[in-house]
Amino acid sequence: MTMMRKMTVHAFKQRLSTYPDEALCCGTFWLAADVLALDNTLDEDAIEAVMERAEDSHDANIGFNRDHLQAAIDTVKRG
C-alpha cells in the first residue's frame, strides 16, 4: 500500500518542519540522480514511485542503500 505523498525536497522539508530546529535527528537523503544511476530508463513518475516504494518499505534493520533502491526499482518496474 503506497501512501501517495510527494517525494520532493519541498515536501520533505514540510514533514521536517513539524519538529523543532534543535531536535536531534539522522537520516538518509537520496535524489532522483541516485535512482537514475541505478536505472537511467526511468521517467519522473517512475522515479517518484520508486522513492515512495523505498520509503514505504524501509526496514531500519537493513538500511536505506543502493540495494534497497534497486529492490524498489524492480518492484515498480514489475507493476
Side-chain angles (χ1 to χ4, degrees):
M1 181 169 85
T2 302
M3 295 178 70
M4 298 303 294
R5 61 178 164 239
K6 290 300 277 179
M7 302 306 291
T8 62
V9 170
H10 176 75
F12 188 61
K13 289 176 4 184
Q14 280 186 314
R15 287 192 294 275
L16 287 175
S17 73
T18 63
Y19 300 94
D21 288 341
E22 297 79 21
L24 297 173
C25 68
C26 68
T28 303
F29 189 76
W30 296 83
L31 297 168
D34 300 308
V35 176
L36 288 172
L38 295 172
D39 186 332
N40 65 3
T41 68
L42 302 172
D43 63 16
E44 188 171 320
D45 289 338
I47 292 168
E48 186 165 17
V50 166
M51 289 178 170
E52 287 176 3
R53 176 67 184 163
E55 182 73 18
D56 293 345
S57 63
H58 176 247
D59 181 338
N61 291 314
I62 296 170
F64 205 115
N65 53 45
R66 292 187 194 284
D67 290 338
H68 182 67
L69 281 180
Q70 187 63 59
I73 290 168
D74 296 343
T75 298
V76 166
K77 288 182 92 168
R78 279 194 303 269

